[in-house]
Protein backbone atom coordinates (compact mmCIF):
# COMPACT_ATOMS: atom_id res chain seq x y z
CA UNK A 1 0.00 0.00 0.00
CA UNK A 2 0.99 3.61 -0.45
CA UNK A 3 0.92 5.08 3.05
CA UNK A 4 1.46 8.60 4.37
CA UNK A 5 2.85 8.28 7.90
CA UNK A 6 2.58 11.37 10.12
CA UNK A 7 5.04 11.41 13.04
CA UNK A 8 4.38 13.68 16.02
CA UNK A 9 6.98 16.36 16.74
CA UNK A 10 6.79 15.67 20.48
CA UNK A 11 7.97 12.10 19.88
CA UNK A 12 11.26 13.56 18.66
CA UNK A 13 12.10 15.34 21.91
CA UNK A 14 13.16 18.84 22.92
CA UNK A 15 16.89 18.80 22.15
CA UNK A 16 19.19 17.55 19.37
CA UNK A 17 20.23 14.61 21.55
CA UNK A 18 16.65 13.61 22.34
CA UNK A 19 15.62 14.08 18.74
CA UNK A 20 18.36 11.83 17.40
CA UNK A 21 17.22 9.08 19.78
CA UNK A 22 13.59 9.63 18.76
CA UNK A 23 14.55 9.50 15.09
CA UNK A 24 16.38 6.21 15.65
CA UNK A 25 13.35 4.68 17.39
CA UNK A 26 11.02 5.93 14.64
CA UNK A 27 13.35 4.61 11.93
CA UNK A 28 13.09 1.03 13.22
CA UNK A 29 9.27 1.09 13.06
CA UNK A 30 9.23 2.76 9.64
CA UNK A 31 11.79 0.28 8.31
CA UNK A 32 9.52 -2.57 9.46
CA UNK A 33 6.72 -1.19 7.28
CA UNK A 34 9.05 -0.73 4.32
CA UNK A 35 10.33 -4.28 4.76
CA UNK A 36 6.73 -5.50 4.57
CA UNK A 37 6.55 -3.96 1.09
CA UNK A 38 4.62 -0.76 1.78
CA UNK A 39 5.44 2.44 -0.11
CA UNK A 40 5.90 5.14 2.53
CA UNK A 41 5.87 8.92 2.53
CA UNK A 42 6.79 10.43 5.88
CA UNK A 43 5.61 13.70 7.42
CA UNK A 44 6.37 15.05 10.87
CA UNK A 45 5.38 17.68 13.39
CA UNK A 46 7.71 20.38 14.70
CA UNK A 47 5.98 21.71 17.83
CA UNK A 48 8.93 21.63 20.25
CA UNK A 49 11.45 22.35 17.51
CA UNK A 50 9.79 25.46 16.06
CA UNK A 51 9.41 26.81 19.60
CA UNK A 52 13.10 26.20 20.21
CA UNK A 53 14.09 28.06 17.02
CA UNK A 54 11.79 31.04 17.69
CA UNK A 55 12.89 31.21 21.35
CA UNK A 56 16.56 31.22 20.36
CA UNK A 57 16.16 34.23 18.10
CA UNK A 58 13.87 36.05 20.55
CA UNK A 59 16.36 35.48 23.39
CA UNK A 60 19.28 36.51 21.22
CA UNK A 61 17.60 39.78 20.31
CA UNK A 62 17.17 40.64 24.00
CA UNK A 63 20.95 40.66 24.49
CA UNK A 64 22.07 41.79 21.03
CA UNK A 65 20.01 44.30 19.07
CA UNK A 66 21.83 43.20 15.93
CA UNK A 67 20.09 39.83 16.03
CA UNK A 68 16.81 39.80 14.13
CA UNK A 69 13.63 37.84 14.71
CA UNK A 70 13.18 34.85 12.43
CA UNK A 71 9.97 34.98 10.34
CA UNK A 72 7.78 31.90 10.66
CA UNK A 73 8.18 30.60 7.09
CA UNK A 74 11.97 30.66 7.45
CA UNK A 75 11.84 29.14 10.94
CA UNK A 76 9.61 26.31 9.68
CA UNK A 77 12.04 25.73 6.80
CA UNK A 78 14.87 25.50 9.36
CA UNK A 79 12.92 22.95 11.38
CA UNK A 80 12.22 20.88 8.25
CA UNK A 81 15.94 20.68 7.51
CA UNK A 82 16.93 19.97 11.11
CA UNK A 83 14.35 17.22 11.68
CA UNK A 84 14.62 15.81 8.18
CA UNK A 85 18.38 15.47 8.57
CA UNK A 86 18.00 13.31 11.67
CA UNK A 87 15.17 11.19 10.26
CA UNK A 88 16.83 10.49 6.92
CA UNK A 89 20.16 9.77 8.58
CA UNK A 90 18.70 7.20 10.97
CA UNK A 91 16.31 5.67 8.45
CA UNK A 92 19.03 5.35 5.79
CA UNK A 93 21.22 3.60 8.38
CA UNK A 94 18.44 1.22 9.45
CA UNK A 95 17.63 0.28 5.85
CA UNK A 96 21.31 -0.36 5.08
CA UNK A 97 21.46 -2.73 8.08
CA UNK A 98 18.58 -4.68 6.55
CA UNK A 99 20.12 -4.65 3.06
CA UNK A 100 17.19 -2.65 1.71
CA UNK A 101 18.24 -0.39 -1.19
CA UNK A 102 15.76 2.48 -0.79
CA UNK A 103 17.36 5.94 -0.52
CA UNK A 104 15.68 8.40 1.85
CA UNK A 105 15.43 12.10 0.96
CA UNK A 106 14.03 15.13 2.82
CA UNK A 107 12.26 17.81 0.81
CA UNK A 108 11.75 21.41 1.90
CA UNK A 109 8.02 21.74 1.28
CA UNK A 110 5.66 24.69 0.86
CA UNK A 111 1.92 24.44 1.32
CA UNK A 112 -0.54 27.00 0.00
CA UNK A 113 -3.02 28.65 2.35
CA UNK A 114 -5.65 31.33 1.76
CA UNK A 115 -4.39 34.62 3.22
CA UNK A 116 -8.07 35.49 3.86
CA UNK A 117 -8.69 32.30 5.84
CA UNK A 118 -10.93 33.07 8.82
CA UNK A 119 -8.24 31.62 11.12
CA UNK A 120 -6.22 34.82 10.68
CA UNK A 121 -9.00 36.75 12.46
CA UNK A 122 -8.63 34.61 15.59
CA UNK A 123 -5.03 33.41 16.10
CA UNK A 124 -4.89 30.62 18.66
CA UNK A 125 -1.57 28.77 18.22
CA UNK A 126 0.94 29.76 20.97
CA UNK A 127 4.56 30.00 19.85
CA UNK A 128 7.78 31.20 21.42
CA UNK A 129 8.77 32.67 24.77
CA UNK A 130 6.65 33.52 27.81
CA UNK A 131 6.28 37.19 28.79
CA UNK A 132 4.75 39.15 31.64
CA UNK A 133 1.58 41.06 30.88
CA UNK A 134 3.45 44.38 30.70
CA UNK A 135 6.14 42.92 28.40
CA UNK A 136 3.47 41.44 26.15
CA UNK A 137 1.57 44.74 25.96
CA UNK A 138 4.77 46.59 25.07
CA UNK A 139 5.56 44.11 22.30
CA UNK A 140 1.99 44.25 21.01
CA UNK A 141 2.21 48.03 20.71
CA UNK A 142 5.64 47.86 19.07
CA UNK A 143 5.12 44.96 16.66
CA UNK A 144 1.38 44.46 16.24
CA UNK A 145 1.76 40.83 17.33
CA UNK A 146 -1.08 39.26 19.29
CA UNK A 147 -0.35 37.82 22.75
CA UNK A 148 -2.61 35.69 24.92
CA UNK A 149 -2.33 34.32 28.43
CA UNK A 150 -1.25 30.66 28.38
CA UNK A 151 -2.48 28.40 31.20
CA UNK A 152 -1.32 30.69 34.01
CA UNK A 153 2.31 30.54 32.84
CA UNK A 154 2.50 33.98 31.26
CA UNK A 155 1.72 35.56 27.90
CA UNK A 156 2.83 34.11 24.56
CA UNK A 157 2.53 35.24 20.99
CA UNK A 158 -0.26 33.46 19.12
CA UNK A 159 -0.45 32.94 15.38
CA UNK A 160 -3.13 31.65 13.04
CA UNK A 161 -3.44 28.04 11.93
CA UNK A 162 -5.18 28.21 8.52
CA UNK A 163 -6.35 25.22 6.48
CA UNK A 164 -3.86 23.78 3.99
CA UNK A 165 -4.97 23.97 0.34
CA UNK A 166 -2.32 22.20 -1.74
CA UNK A 167 1.25 20.98 -1.62
CA UNK A 168 3.43 23.10 -3.90
CA UNK A 169 6.10 20.46 -4.52
CA UNK A 170 3.63 17.61 -5.19
CA UNK A 171 5.04 16.83 -8.65
CA UNK A 172 8.57 16.57 -7.25
CA UNK A 173 7.33 14.27 -4.48
CA UNK A 174 5.61 12.02 -7.04
CA UNK A 175 8.76 11.91 -9.18
CA UNK A 176 10.87 10.90 -6.18
CA UNK A 177 8.39 8.20 -5.15
CA UNK A 178 8.21 6.83 -8.69
CA UNK A 179 12.01 6.56 -8.76
CA UNK A 180 12.00 4.42 -5.62
CA UNK A 181 12.87 7.06 -3.03
CA UNK A 182 11.36 7.30 0.45
CA UNK A 183 10.36 10.94 0.89
CA UNK A 184 10.24 12.99 4.10
CA UNK A 185 8.05 15.98 3.28
CA UNK A 186 5.58 18.59 4.57
CA UNK A 187 7.48 18.85 7.86
CA UNK A 188 5.72 20.88 10.53
CA UNK A 189 2.65 21.12 8.31
CA UNK A 190 4.69 22.70 5.51
CA UNK A 191 5.97 26.22 4.98
CA UNK A 192 2.83 28.38 4.70
CA UNK A 193 2.67 30.46 1.52
CA UNK A 194 -0.03 32.23 -0.47
CA UNK A 195 -0.28 33.15 -4.14
CA UNK A 196 0.58 36.71 -5.13
CA UNK A 197 0.37 36.81 -8.90
CA UNK A 198 3.10 34.47 -10.15
CA UNK A 199 4.88 34.50 -6.78
CA UNK A 200 4.43 32.45 -3.62
CA UNK A 201 4.80 34.60 -0.52
CA UNK A 202 5.50 33.26 2.97
CA UNK A 203 3.08 34.23 5.73
CA UNK A 204 3.40 34.14 9.53
CA UNK A 205 1.25 31.22 10.66
CA UNK A 206 1.52 27.48 11.26
CA UNK A 207 -0.35 24.69 9.50
CA UNK A 208 -1.52 21.68 11.47
CA UNK A 209 0.67 18.77 10.35
CA UNK A 210 -2.18 16.24 10.47
CA UNK A 211 -4.36 18.33 8.11
CA UNK A 212 -1.34 18.88 5.86
CA UNK A 213 -0.68 15.12 5.87
CA UNK A 214 -4.29 14.45 4.88
CA UNK A 215 -4.06 16.88 1.94
CA UNK A 216 -0.74 15.31 0.91
CA UNK A 217 -2.21 11.81 1.11
CA UNK A 218 -5.14 12.93 -1.03
CA UNK A 219 -2.89 14.50 -3.68
CA UNK A 220 -0.69 11.38 -3.75
CA UNK A 221 -3.70 9.06 -4.04
CA UNK A 222 -2.42 7.17 -1.01
CA UNK A 223 -4.29 4.15 0.30
CA UNK A 224 -3.78 4.91 3.97
CA UNK A 225 -3.14 7.89 6.22
CA UNK A 226 -1.44 6.81 9.45
CA UNK A 227 -1.31 9.38 12.25
CA UNK A 228 1.05 8.36 15.03
CA UNK A 229 0.49 9.83 18.45
CA UNK A 230 1.06 9.06 22.15
CA UNK A 231 -1.90 6.72 22.64
CA UNK A 232 -2.63 3.32 21.12
CA UNK A 233 -6.30 4.00 20.45
CA UNK A 234 -8.66 6.97 20.25
CA UNK A 235 -10.98 7.11 23.27
CA UNK A 236 -14.17 8.71 24.42
CA UNK A 237 -14.03 10.12 27.96
CA UNK A 238 -10.25 9.72 27.90
CA UNK A 239 -8.57 8.87 31.21
CA UNK A 240 -11.86 8.55 33.14
CA UNK A 241 -13.73 5.55 34.56
CA UNK A 242 -16.10 5.81 31.57
CA UNK A 243 -13.29 5.60 29.01
CA UNK A 244 -14.39 3.85 25.81
CA UNK A 245 -11.88 2.69 23.20
CA UNK A 246 -12.75 3.25 19.54
CA UNK A 247 -11.45 0.59 17.16
CA UNK A 248 -13.01 0.55 13.68
CA UNK A 249 -15.34 3.49 13.24
CA UNK A 250 -17.10 5.17 10.32
CA UNK A 251 -16.62 8.78 9.29
CA UNK A 252 -20.19 9.83 10.08
CA UNK A 253 -19.87 8.46 13.62
CA UNK A 254 -16.53 10.20 14.24
CA UNK A 255 -18.11 13.42 12.93
CA UNK A 256 -20.92 12.97 15.45
CA UNK A 257 -18.42 12.57 18.29
CA UNK A 258 -16.59 15.70 17.08
CA UNK A 259 -19.85 17.70 17.13
CA UNK A 260 -20.54 16.47 20.65
CA UNK A 261 -17.16 17.81 21.81
CA UNK A 262 -15.51 14.54 22.79
CA UNK A 263 -12.01 15.46 21.60
CA UNK A 264 -9.68 18.12 22.97
CA UNK A 265 -8.66 21.00 20.68
CA UNK A 266 -4.92 21.07 20.10
CA UNK A 267 -4.69 17.39 21.02
CA UNK A 268 -6.88 14.63 19.54
CA UNK A 269 -9.37 16.88 17.74
CA UNK A 270 -7.18 17.83 14.73
CA UNK A 271 -6.09 14.20 14.39
CA UNK A 272 -9.61 12.78 14.16
CA UNK A 273 -10.70 15.62 11.87
CA UNK A 274 -7.79 15.02 9.49
CA UNK A 275 -8.25 11.24 9.63
CA UNK A 276 -11.97 11.60 8.98
CA UNK A 277 -11.38 13.93 6.05
CA UNK A 278 -9.09 11.45 4.30
CA UNK A 279 -11.25 8.42 5.11
CA UNK A 280 -14.28 10.17 3.58
CA UNK A 281 -12.67 9.67 0.14
CA UNK A 282 -13.87 6.49 -1.56
CA UNK A 283 -11.58 3.53 -0.94
CA UNK A 284 -9.35 5.30 1.62
CA UNK A 285 -8.66 4.48 5.26
CA UNK A 286 -7.07 6.29 8.18
CA UNK A 287 -5.36 4.87 11.24
CA UNK A 288 -4.62 6.66 14.52
CA UNK A 289 -2.32 4.79 16.90
CA UNK A 290 1.04 4.91 18.65
CA UNK A 291 4.39 4.58 16.92
CA UNK A 292 4.96 1.17 18.51
CA UNK A 293 1.64 -0.15 17.19
CA UNK A 294 1.84 1.13 13.62
CA UNK A 295 2.42 -2.31 12.13
CA UNK A 296 -0.24 -3.99 14.25
CA UNK A 297 -2.67 -1.18 13.45
CA UNK A 298 -2.29 -1.69 9.69
CA UNK A 299 -3.13 -5.37 10.26
CA UNK A 300 -6.27 -4.36 12.18
CA UNK A 301 -4.89 -5.62 15.48
CA UNK A 302 -4.69 -2.29 17.32
CA UNK A 303 -5.41 1.40 17.02
CA UNK A 304 -8.40 3.27 15.63
CA UNK A 305 -9.24 2.68 11.97
CA UNK A 306 -11.58 5.18 10.33
CA UNK A 307 -13.48 4.12 7.20
CA UNK A 308 -16.20 5.61 5.05
Amino acid sequence: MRIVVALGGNALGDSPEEQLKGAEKSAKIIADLIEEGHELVITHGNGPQIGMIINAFESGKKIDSGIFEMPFPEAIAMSQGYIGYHLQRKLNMELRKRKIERPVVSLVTEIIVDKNDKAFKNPTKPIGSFYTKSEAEELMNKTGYIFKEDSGRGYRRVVASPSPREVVEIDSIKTLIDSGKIVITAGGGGIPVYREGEDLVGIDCVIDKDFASAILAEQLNADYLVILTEVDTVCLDFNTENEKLLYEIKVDQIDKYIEEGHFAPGSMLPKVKAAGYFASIDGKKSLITSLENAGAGLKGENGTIIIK
Side-chain angles (χ1 to χ4, degrees), residues 112-294:
I112 292 174
V113 300
D114 181 354
K115 69 176 182 179
N116 296 313
D117 191 300
K118 62 182 181 181
F120 287 104
K121 296 180 180 179
N122 181 34
T124 58
K125 185 73 173 178
I127 295 289
S129 303
F130 288 92
Y131 295 90
T132 66
K133 185 176 182 180
S134 60
E135 288 173 334
E137 289 174 346
E138 182 180 348
L139 284 168
M140 287 175 68
N141 292 331
K142 185 185 297 183
T143 64
Y145 295 161
I146 297 174
F147 288 79
K148 291 184 180 179
E149 199 276 330
D150 187 350
S151 305
R153 297 176 294 176
Y155 286 75
R156 297 175 76 190
R157 182 185 174 190
V158 290
V159 296
S161 185
S163 299
R165 301 289 181 172
E166 61 180 289
V167 181
V168 175
E169 289 79 16
I170 193 67
D171 289 339
S172 297
I173 297 167
K174 289 177 179 177
T175 299
L176 289 166
I177 294 169
D178 291 343
S179 67
K181 308 297 189 296
I182 297 161
V183 185
I184 300 167
T185 185
I191 302 165
V193 297
Y194 65 91
R195 296 193 186 279
E196 189 74 68
E198 296 298 317
D199 195 8
L200 291 174
V201 182
I203 186 168
D204 276 4
C205 63
V206 292
I207 302 169
D208 181 86
K209 63 94 178 168
D210 296 313
F211 283 116
S213 299
I215 294 296
L216 174 68
E218 180 182 20
Q219 288 191 257
L220 289 176
N221 193 29
D223 301 293
Y224 239 113
L225 170 64
V226 177
I227 297 175
L228 300 179
T229 184
E230 295 176 353
V231 297
D232 295 337
T233 310
V234 178
C235 303
L236 301 181
D237 299 315
F238 177 65
N239 217 17
T240 71
E241 60 181 18
N242 297 319
E243 182 176 276
K244 176 184 177 183
L245 302 180
L246 304 177
Y247 294 106
E248 186 169 285
I249 185 168
K250 292 189 175 182
V251 171
D252 58 356
Q253 185 61 58
I254 208 78
D255 287 343
K256 181 173 181 291
Y257 288 145
I258 289 170
E259 289 176 8
E260 291 172 355
H262 285 280
F263 307 113
S267 178
M268 189 55 72
L269 180 60
K271 294 175 179 20
V272 294
K273 278 187 172 182
Y277 170 82
F278 182 70
S280 69
I281 303 169
D282 287 340
K284 308 303 182 184
K285 292 183 179 181
S286 295
L287 166 68
I288 302 175
T289 191
S290 62
L291 173 67
E292 294 80 3
N293 281 293

Side-chain angles (χ1 to χ4, degrees), residues 28-78:
K28 294 180 188 299
I29 306 297
I30 293 167
D32 288 341
L33 300 180
I34 294 168
E35 199 164 27
E36 290 172 8
H38 299 302
E39 184 179 73
L40 295 195
V41 178
I42 302 158
T43 70
H44 59 81
N46 69 346
Q49 296 83 1
I50 192 70
M52 181 172 62
I53 292 167
I54 294 294
N55 286 347
F57 280 92
E58 287 181 349
S59 298
K61 188 175 181 180
K62 290 177 182 178
I63 60 175
D64 184 348
S65 60
I67 294 176
F68 51 85
E69 290 185 26
M70 183 59 64
F72 270 82
E74 284 77 4
I76 293 168
M78 291 172 70

